Amino acid sequence: MTNKAARNLFIFGSLFFFAIFLGLTYDTMGKLDKRAPEITEQVNAGKMVWHKYDCIGCHTIFGNGSYFAPDLTKTTVNKPKGYLKQFLMDPKSANPNASMPKLGIKPDEADNIITFLEWTSKVDTNNWPPKPILATAGGVAGRELTEGQRLYQSLGCSACHTINGIGGTTGPDLTTVGAKRDRVWLAGHFKEPKAFVPESPMPKVEAPDADIEKLTDYMLSLK
Amino acid sequence: MSLKYQSQKIAEYFYTFAVVLFLVQVVVGIIAALQFIWPGFFILNFNTVRTLHINAMVVWLLVGMMGATYYVVPEESETELWGLPLAKFQFWATVVAVTAVILGYIWMGINPQANSPIMGMTPLNEGREYIEAPRWADALIVVSVLLFLFVNFMTMLKTKKWTGIQGTLLGGLLVLALMYLPGMFYTKSMVKDQFWWWWVVHLWVEGAWEVIAGALLAFMLMKVVGAKREVVEKWMYIEVGFVMFTGILGTGHHYYWIGTPSYWLWVGGIFSSLEPVPLLFMVWDAFRTTRDARNVENRAGLYYTVAHAIFNFVGAGLWGVIHTLPQINKWTHGTQITTAHGHLAFYGAYVLLVLSMIYITLPAIRGVKAFNASRAFQSFWWMTISMVFIVLTITGAGMVQVYMERLMGLDYVAVKANYNLWFWVLRAIFGVGFLIGVGIFVVDFFKLGKEPAPAVAAVSDR
C-alpha cells in the first residue's frame, strides 16, 4: 500500500464512520423523549441543583460519575422521600454514619432534586442496574419464611436496614435488635417512629395491627 | 538532535506549566485516596478534590501536547514559528484562565452557595465530570485552542510542506477543538446531557487524543532511532485510521445504560471490542522500528516512547476491553473497574506520551546533546511500578464490589467501607510511591541540561 492510499483510507474511512455515527445520533435523539417521563420545570430545577452542588463529584448517575458514593439513578425507588429530604439537608441527622457533608441544601432544593431523581428512576435504561442475582434468588428459593420475614421483605425494610450483612446501611443494623429493644418499644416505634426517636427519618409502617405484631415477633427473634 | 529553530523554545513554557500541574494532580490524588479511608480528611470535600485531580490532568496533558506541537510544527515545516508573540500570549492567557478556574473550584468547595446559578448558569463549576469548567471558561478555552491552531496552521502555510505527521497532528487537534463544542450547551434532559457529554469525553480520549498520540509517536520514532519517514508515516496512517474506525462507533459502549435505545448495545459492543487493535499495531510498530537501533543517543527518550506504546495498549486497550461487552458491562458499569481502567489508560496513553516528548525535545531546547539519564530511569520505574499496583488494587476493589454489591446485593457503603478498606489503604501507599517518582521527574525536568555533562557522553557499548 502506498502512503497516499494509506492516507486516503484514514481520511475517508474516518469520515465514513463519522457519517454513520451522525446518523445513529439523529435517530437516537428522536427516540430519547419517548424513553423517559416528561421533564417538568421541577425536574429541570432539580437537575440544576444537581449541577450546582457538583453531586457528580462523588456520586454516579446512570453509572457515570465519581464512584465515591452510591449511584443515585434508582435511589427514590427504595428510599422514602421524607428520609431523602432530611438526609439531603443534614445527612448526619438522618444517618449518624453518613460520610456525606452538610452542603447547605435548602428545603426547596431538596424537593427539586428528589423530583429530579424520581425522573431518572423512571428512564428506560435497558434494565440497568441489574437485580443482584443472589439477593433475588434468596427471596424466591422456596425457603419457609415466617410471616414476619415475609412482611420485612414485602414492606421493603431491607432497602435501609441490614440483617446478617444483607441490606441497606442508611438505617440502623437490625441483626441483634431483639436483644436491645422490647415488644412495646418495637411495636410503638413501627406505628410512630418519631415518638421514640425524635429525629428519626423513618416513615410510619402503614400496616394492620396484626401485621405489626408479626413484624415485632420477627424483630424480637433477632438476637 | 539539536535545535533547528529558535522559536521551538516556546515548547518549554508549556512543558513547565504541564509539569507543575502534574505535581498538583498527583498530590490532590493522594488526598482523594486518603478520603476513601477517612471521608472527612481534608478541608475540601471529595468532590472538589476529585475535580481538581481530573481537571489538572486534562489541562496538563493538553498543555503538554500543545508544547510538543509547537516544537514539532517548525521542525516539520522547516521554518520559524509564525507569530511567536501570539503563541506566548496564548500561553500566558491559558495560565491565567486555568488558575482562575482552579481558584473558582476551591472557592466553591469551601462555600457551595457561591455556585448558585446566575442567569441559569453555575458560575464556578458546571457540575459535569471532566468538563467542570464553567461556561465563561469554556469560551476562553475555545479562544486559546483556536489561537493555538491558527499559529500552527499559519506556520505550515509559510512553507506548505504538508508532511503526514503534521497534517495528522493538525487534523487531530482540529477534531479536539470541534469536539469540545458538544459540551457547551445546556440540556434539560440528563440523558441528553450525558449523551453529548460523551461526545466530548470519548471522542477526545479515544479519538482525537489517540490521533495526536499516533502522530507524535511517528515523530518520536523518527527522531530517536532515525526511522525512515515513508515507513513511519504509512504505519501512522493505518494506526490512526483504525483508531477512528473503531473509536467513533465505539462511543456506543457509553450508550448502553443511560436511557438510549438498545441498538447501541450491538454498535458499542462490536466496535469498542476492536478498539485495542490499532493500539496493538502501535506496540508492534514501536518494537519493529526500534529493535535494531544501536547507538541511540537519547536512551531515556527511547525508553519512554516504547513504554508509552506498551502501556497505551495495556491500559487503554486491555483494561478497557475486559469490561466493554454489554453482557459484562451490565455488572461492572459504574464500579471501581472503570476507575482502574481510567488510571492505567491515562498513564499509558497520555502521561507517558507527554513525558516522552519532553525527554526527546527538552535536551535540544536546553542545548545539550547528552544528559545524565539516571533520574529519568529512576522516575520511570517509581511511577510505572506504583501505577501498575495502584491499578491492580483498584481492579481488586472493583472485582469485590461487582461480586458483593452487584451480584450478592450488599449495600454500596458496606462494601466500600468494610470489604474494600484494605484496597484503599494499599492504593494510598502506592500513590505515595507514584508521588516519589513524579518528584524525581520534576527535579530532573528543572535540572536537565543545566548540570555538567556526564563523563561518558553517548552510550555506545550496550
Side-chain angles (χ1 to χ4, degrees), chain B residues 107-148:
Chain B
W107 186 23
M108 182 250 173
I110 294 166
N111 173 23
Q113 296 305 327
N115 201 33
S116 299
I118 298 169
M119 292 187 301
M121 283 186 273
T122 47
L124 301 176
N125 182 328
E126 224 171 77
R128 299 168 78 199
E129 193 192 5
Y130 289 109
I131 50 172
E132 285 92 344
R135 199 55 47 80
W136 57 266
D138 288 346
L140 292 180
I141 291 165
V142 169
V143 172
S144 165
V145 173
L146 286 180
L147 272 180
F148 163 77

Short mmCIF file of all heavy atoms in Angstrom, two decimals, chain B residues 107-148:
data_model
loop_
_atom_site.label_atom_id
_atom_site.label_comp_id
_atom_site.label_asym_id
_atom_site.label_seq_id
_atom_site.Cartn_x
_atom_site.Cartn_y
_atom_site.Cartn_z
N TRP B 107 -12.92 27.85 45.82
CA TRP B 107 -13.89 28.73 46.48
C TRP B 107 -15.24 28.02 46.61
O TRP B 107 -15.87 28.02 47.67
CB TRP B 107 -14.02 30.03 45.69
CG TRP B 107 -14.88 31.06 46.36
CD1 TRP B 107 -15.17 31.15 47.69
CD2 TRP B 107 -15.60 32.13 45.72
NE1 TRP B 107 -16.01 32.21 47.92
CE2 TRP B 107 -16.28 32.84 46.73
CE3 TRP B 107 -15.70 32.57 44.40
CZ2 TRP B 107 -17.07 33.96 46.45
CZ3 TRP B 107 -16.48 33.69 44.14
CH2 TRP B 107 -17.16 34.37 45.14
N MET B 108 -15.67 27.38 45.53
CA MET B 108 -16.94 26.68 45.56
C MET B 108 -16.88 25.52 46.56
O MET B 108 -17.87 25.21 47.22
CB MET B 108 -17.27 26.16 44.16
CG MET B 108 -18.60 25.46 44.05
SD MET B 108 -18.35 23.71 43.80
CE MET B 108 -20.01 23.08 43.90
N GLY B 109 -15.70 24.89 46.66
CA GLY B 109 -15.55 23.79 47.61
C GLY B 109 -15.72 24.25 49.04
O GLY B 109 -16.27 23.54 49.88
N ILE B 110 -15.26 25.47 49.33
CA ILE B 110 -15.38 26.00 50.69
C ILE B 110 -16.78 26.54 50.93
O ILE B 110 -17.34 26.39 52.01
CB ILE B 110 -14.31 27.10 50.91
CG1 ILE B 110 -12.91 26.47 50.86
CG2 ILE B 110 -14.52 27.82 52.25
CD1 ILE B 110 -11.80 27.47 50.72
N ASN B 111 -17.35 27.15 49.91
CA ASN B 111 -18.67 27.76 50.05
C ASN B 111 -19.55 27.38 48.87
O ASN B 111 -19.60 28.08 47.86
CB ASN B 111 -18.51 29.30 50.13
CG ASN B 111 -19.84 29.99 50.12
OD1 ASN B 111 -20.87 29.41 50.48
ND2 ASN B 111 -19.85 31.25 49.67
N PRO B 112 -20.26 26.21 48.97
CA PRO B 112 -21.05 25.72 47.83
C PRO B 112 -22.06 26.74 47.31
O PRO B 112 -22.36 26.75 46.12
CB PRO B 112 -21.75 24.49 48.39
CG PRO B 112 -20.92 24.05 49.54
CD PRO B 112 -20.33 25.31 50.12
N GLN B 113 -22.57 27.61 48.19
CA GLN B 113 -23.60 28.57 47.74
C GLN B 113 -23.04 29.55 46.71
O GLN B 113 -23.79 30.17 45.96
CB GLN B 113 -24.18 29.33 48.94
CG GLN B 113 -24.93 28.46 49.92
CD GLN B 113 -26.04 27.63 49.28
OE1 GLN B 113 -26.67 28.05 48.32
NE2 GLN B 113 -26.25 26.42 49.78
N ALA B 114 -21.70 29.70 46.68
CA ALA B 114 -21.10 30.61 45.69
C ALA B 114 -21.34 30.13 44.28
O ALA B 114 -21.17 30.89 43.32
CB ALA B 114 -19.59 30.74 45.95
N ASN B 115 -21.76 28.88 44.13
CA ASN B 115 -22.00 28.33 42.80
C ASN B 115 -23.48 28.42 42.41
O ASN B 115 -23.92 27.75 41.49
CB ASN B 115 -21.52 26.87 42.75
CG ASN B 115 -21.26 26.39 41.33
OD1 ASN B 115 -20.84 27.16 40.48
ND2 ASN B 115 -21.51 25.11 41.08
N SER B 116 -24.26 29.25 43.14
CA SER B 116 -25.67 29.40 42.80
C SER B 116 -25.79 29.97 41.39
O SER B 116 -25.03 30.85 41.01
CB SER B 116 -26.35 30.37 43.78
OG SER B 116 -26.25 29.85 45.08
N PRO B 117 -26.76 29.44 40.61
CA PRO B 117 -26.84 29.85 39.20
C PRO B 117 -27.05 31.35 39.03
O PRO B 117 -27.79 31.98 39.78
CB PRO B 117 -28.06 29.08 38.69
CG PRO B 117 -28.25 27.97 39.64
CD PRO B 117 -27.77 28.45 40.97
N ILE B 118 -26.35 31.91 38.05
CA ILE B 118 -26.56 33.30 37.63
C ILE B 118 -27.02 33.22 36.18
O ILE B 118 -26.32 32.66 35.34
CB ILE B 118 -25.25 34.12 37.74
CG1 ILE B 118 -24.78 34.16 39.20
CG2 ILE B 118 -25.46 35.53 37.20
CD1 ILE B 118 -23.38 34.71 39.37
N MET B 119 -28.18 33.74 35.88
CA MET B 119 -28.78 33.64 34.54
C MET B 119 -28.77 32.20 34.03
O MET B 119 -28.38 31.92 32.90
CB MET B 119 -28.02 34.56 33.57
CG MET B 119 -28.22 36.02 33.89
SD MET B 119 -27.49 37.10 32.63
CE MET B 119 -25.78 36.64 32.67
N GLY B 120 -29.16 31.30 34.92
CA GLY B 120 -29.28 29.89 34.52
C GLY B 120 -27.97 29.15 34.37
O GLY B 120 -27.96 28.03 33.89
N MET B 121 -26.84 29.78 34.76
CA MET B 121 -25.56 29.07 34.64
C MET B 121 -24.80 29.12 35.95
O MET B 121 -24.75 30.16 36.60
CB MET B 121 -24.71 29.72 33.54
CG MET B 121 -25.14 29.35 32.15
SD MET B 121 -24.00 29.99 30.92
CE MET B 121 -24.65 31.62 30.64
N THR B 122 -24.23 27.98 36.32
CA THR B 122 -23.43 27.96 37.54
C THR B 122 -22.09 28.63 37.26
O THR B 122 -21.39 28.24 36.32
CB THR B 122 -23.22 26.51 38.01
OG1 THR B 122 -22.81 25.74 36.88
CG2 THR B 122 -24.49 25.92 38.57
N PRO B 123 -21.72 29.65 38.06
CA PRO B 123 -20.57 30.48 37.70
C PRO B 123 -19.19 29.88 37.98
O PRO B 123 -18.20 30.34 37.42
CB PRO B 123 -20.77 31.74 38.54
CG PRO B 123 -21.56 31.28 39.71
CD PRO B 123 -22.44 30.17 39.22
N LEU B 124 -19.10 28.88 38.86
CA LEU B 124 -17.77 28.40 39.25
C LEU B 124 -17.50 26.97 38.82
O LEU B 124 -16.35 26.59 38.62
CB LEU B 124 -17.60 28.50 40.78
CG LEU B 124 -17.74 29.90 41.38
CD1 LEU B 124 -17.64 29.83 42.89
CD2 LEU B 124 -16.67 30.83 40.82
N ASN B 125 -18.55 26.17 38.74
CA ASN B 125 -18.35 24.75 38.47
C ASN B 125 -19.62 24.23 37.80
O ASN B 125 -20.71 24.34 38.36
CB ASN B 125 -18.10 24.02 39.81
CG ASN B 125 -17.84 22.53 39.64
OD1 ASN B 125 -18.35 21.89 38.73
ND2 ASN B 125 -17.03 21.98 40.53
N GLU B 126 -19.46 23.69 36.59
CA GLU B 126 -20.63 23.27 35.83
C GLU B 126 -21.24 21.98 36.38
O GLU B 126 -22.32 21.57 35.96
CB GLU B 126 -20.23 23.08 34.37
CG GLU B 126 -21.22 23.65 33.39
CD GLU B 126 -20.68 23.62 31.97
OE1 GLU B 126 -20.68 22.54 31.36
OE2 GLU B 126 -20.24 24.67 31.48
N GLY B 127 -20.55 21.30 37.30
CA GLY B 127 -21.09 20.09 37.88
C GLY B 127 -21.21 18.96 36.88
O GLY B 127 -22.11 18.12 36.98
N ARG B 128 -20.31 18.93 35.89
CA ARG B 128 -20.29 17.82 34.93
C ARG B 128 -18.87 17.28 34.88
O ARG B 128 -17.93 18.02 34.62
CB ARG B 128 -20.73 18.30 33.54
CG ARG B 128 -22.15 18.85 33.55
CD ARG B 128 -22.44 19.57 32.26
NE ARG B 128 -22.73 18.62 31.17
CZ ARG B 128 -22.65 18.97 29.89
NH1 ARG B 128 -22.26 20.15 29.53
NH2 ARG B 128 -22.94 18.08 28.96
N GLU B 129 -18.75 15.97 35.14
CA GLU B 129 -17.45 15.34 35.29
C GLU B 129 -16.52 15.65 34.10
O GLU B 129 -16.94 15.56 32.94
CB GLU B 129 -17.66 13.83 35.39
CG GLU B 129 -16.45 13.06 35.85
CD GLU B 129 -16.64 11.55 35.66
OE1 GLU B 129 -17.67 11.15 35.10
OE2 GLU B 129 -15.76 10.80 36.08
N TYR B 130 -15.28 15.94 34.37
CA TYR B 130 -14.22 16.28 33.40
C TYR B 130 -14.38 17.66 32.78
O TYR B 130 -13.40 18.31 32.46
CB TYR B 130 -14.10 15.26 32.26
CG TYR B 130 -13.55 13.94 32.68
CD1 TYR B 130 -14.35 12.83 32.73
CD2 TYR B 130 -12.22 13.81 33.05
CE1 TYR B 130 -13.86 11.60 33.14
CE2 TYR B 130 -11.71 12.60 33.45
CZ TYR B 130 -12.54 11.49 33.50
OH TYR B 130 -12.04 10.29 33.90
N ILE B 131 -15.62 18.09 32.52
CA ILE B 131 -15.78 19.41 31.92
C ILE B 131 -16.45 20.33 32.94
O ILE B 131 -17.39 21.06 32.62
CB ILE B 131 -16.55 19.35 30.58
CG1 ILE B 131 -17.86 18.55 30.73
CG2 ILE B 131 -15.68 18.74 29.50
CD1 ILE B 131 -18.72 18.64 29.47
N GLU B 132 -15.94 20.30 34.18
CA GLU B 132 -16.49 21.12 35.25
C GLU B 132 -16.32 22.60 34.98
O GLU B 132 -17.05 23.43 35.52
CB GLU B 132 -15.83 20.78 36.59
CG GLU B 132 -16.30 19.46 37.22
CD GLU B 132 -15.42 18.29 36.83
OE1 GLU B 132 -14.65 18.41 35.86
OE2 GLU B 132 -15.51 17.23 37.49
N ALA B 133 -15.33 22.97 34.15
CA ALA B 133 -15.05 24.38 33.90
C ALA B 133 -16.33 25.11 33.51
O ALA B 133 -17.09 24.62 32.67
CB ALA B 133 -14.01 24.52 32.79
N PRO B 134 -16.61 26.27 34.15
CA PRO B 134 -17.86 26.99 33.87
C PRO B 134 -17.88 27.53 32.43
O PRO B 134 -16.85 27.57 31.76
CB PRO B 134 -17.87 28.13 34.88
CG PRO B 134 -16.45 28.28 35.30
CD PRO B 134 -15.82 26.94 35.18
N ARG B 135 -19.07 27.96 31.99
CA ARG B 135 -19.25 28.33 30.59
C ARG B 135 -18.31 29.45 30.13
O ARG B 135 -17.76 29.41 29.03
CB ARG B 135 -20.74 28.72 30.34
CG ARG B 135 -21.20 28.69 28.91
CD ARG B 135 -20.96 27.35 28.21
NE ARG B 135 -21.36 26.18 28.96
CZ ARG B 135 -22.60 25.73 29.06
NH1 ARG B 135 -23.58 26.36 28.47
NH2 ARG B 135 -22.88 24.65 29.74
N TRP B 136 -18.10 30.46 31.01
CA TRP B 136 -17.20 31.55 30.60
C TRP B 136 -15.80 31.02 30.34
O TRP B 136 -15.09 31.46 29.45
CB TRP B 136 -17.19 32.68 31.63
CG TRP B 136 -16.79 32.27 33.04
CD1 TRP B 136 -17.63 31.92 34.05
CD2 TRP B 136 -15.45 32.16 33.57
NE1 TRP B 136 -16.92 31.58 35.17
CE2 TRP B 136 -15.58 31.73 34.92
CE3 TRP B 136 -14.18 32.38 33.06
CZ2 TRP B 136 -14.47 31.51 35.75
CZ3 TRP B 136 -13.08 32.16 33.89
CH2 TRP B 136 -13.24 31.73 35.21
N ALA B 137 -15.39 30.01 31.15
CA ALA B 137 -14.06 29.43 30.94
C ALA B 137 -14.03 28.59 29.66
O ALA B 137 -13.02 28.56 28.95
CB ALA B 137 -13.66 28.57 32.13
N ASP B 138 -15.18 27.92 29.35
CA ASP B 138 -15.26 27.18 28.09
C ASP B 138 -14.92 28.10 26.92
O ASP B 138 -14.17 27.74 26.02
CB ASP B 138 -16.69 26.64 27.87
CG ASP B 138 -17.02 25.49 28.80
OD1 ASP B 138 -16.08 24.95 29.42
OD2 ASP B 138 -18.20 25.14 28.91
N ALA B 139 -15.51 29.30 26.95
CA ALA B 139 -15.28 30.26 25.86
C ALA B 139 -13.79 30.60 25.77
O ALA B 139 -13.22 30.64 24.67
CB ALA B 139 -16.12 31.51 26.07
N LEU B 140 -13.16 30.84 26.93
CA LEU B 140 -11.73 31.16 26.92
C LEU B 140 -10.90 29.99 26.39
O LEU B 140 -9.93 30.19 25.66
CB LEU B 140 -11.26 31.54 28.33
CG LEU B 140 -11.81 32.85 28.89
CD1 LEU B 140 -11.26 33.09 30.30
CD2 LEU B 140 -11.42 34.02 27.99
N ILE B 141 -11.30 28.76 26.77
CA ILE B 141 -10.57 27.59 26.30
C ILE B 141 -10.65 27.50 24.78
O ILE B 141 -9.66 27.25 24.10
CB ILE B 141 -11.12 26.30 26.97
CG1 ILE B 141 -10.79 26.31 28.47
CG2 ILE B 141 -10.56 25.05 26.30
CD1 ILE B 141 -11.57 25.30 29.29
N VAL B 142 -11.85 27.76 24.24
CA VAL B 142 -12.03 27.70 22.79
C VAL B 142 -11.13 28.75 22.12
O VAL B 142 -10.44 28.47 21.14
CB VAL B 142 -13.51 27.92 22.41
CG1 VAL B 142 -13.65 28.13 20.91
CG2 VAL B 142 -14.34 26.73 22.86
N VAL B 143 -11.11 29.98 22.69
CA VAL B 143 -10.27 31.03 22.11
C VAL B 143 -8.81 30.59 22.14
O VAL B 143 -8.08 30.73 21.14
CB VAL B 143 -10.46 32.36 22.89
CG1 VAL B 143 -9.45 33.40 22.43
CG2 VAL B 143 -11.88 32.87 22.69
N SER B 144 -8.38 30.05 23.27
CA SER B 144 -6.99 29.62 23.39
C SER B 144 -6.64 28.55 22.35
O SER B 144 -5.62 28.64 21.66
CB SER B 144 -6.74 29.07 24.80
OG SER B 144 -5.54 28.35 24.84
N VAL B 145 -7.53 27.55 22.20
CA VAL B 145 -7.24 26.47 21.25
C VAL B 145 -7.26 27.00 19.81
O VAL B 145 -6.45 26.61 18.98
CB VAL B 145 -8.25 25.31 21.44
CG1 VAL B 145 -8.08 24.28 20.35
CG2 VAL B 145 -8.06 24.66 22.80
N LEU B 146 -8.18 27.94 19.52
CA LEU B 146 -8.23 28.50 18.17
C LEU B 146 -6.95 29.28 17.85
O LEU B 146 -6.39 29.16 16.76
CB LEU B 146 -9.46 29.39 18.00
CG LEU B 146 -10.80 28.66 17.89
CD1 LEU B 146 -11.95 29.65 17.74
CD2 LEU B 146 -10.79 27.68 16.73
N LEU B 147 -6.48 30.10 18.82
CA LEU B 147 -5.22 30.83 18.64
C LEU B 147 -4.08 29.86 18.36
O LEU B 147 -3.28 30.06 17.44
CB LEU B 147 -4.88 31.61 19.91
CG LEU B 147 -5.45 33.03 20.06
CD1 LEU B 147 -4.99 33.62 21.38
CD2 LEU B 147 -4.99 33.89 18.90
N PHE B 148 -4.05 28.80 19.17
CA PHE B 148 -3.01 27.79 19.04
C PHE B 148 -3.05 27.14 17.65
O PHE B 148 -2.02 27.02 16.97
CB PHE B 148 -3.23 26.76 20.16
CG PHE B 148 -2.55 25.45 19.97
CD1 PHE B 148 -1.19 25.34 20.21
CD2 PHE B 148 -3.25 24.32 19.58
CE1 PHE B 148 -0.56 24.11 20.05
CE2 PHE B 148 -2.64 23.12 19.42
CZ PHE B 148 -1.28 23.01 19.65
#
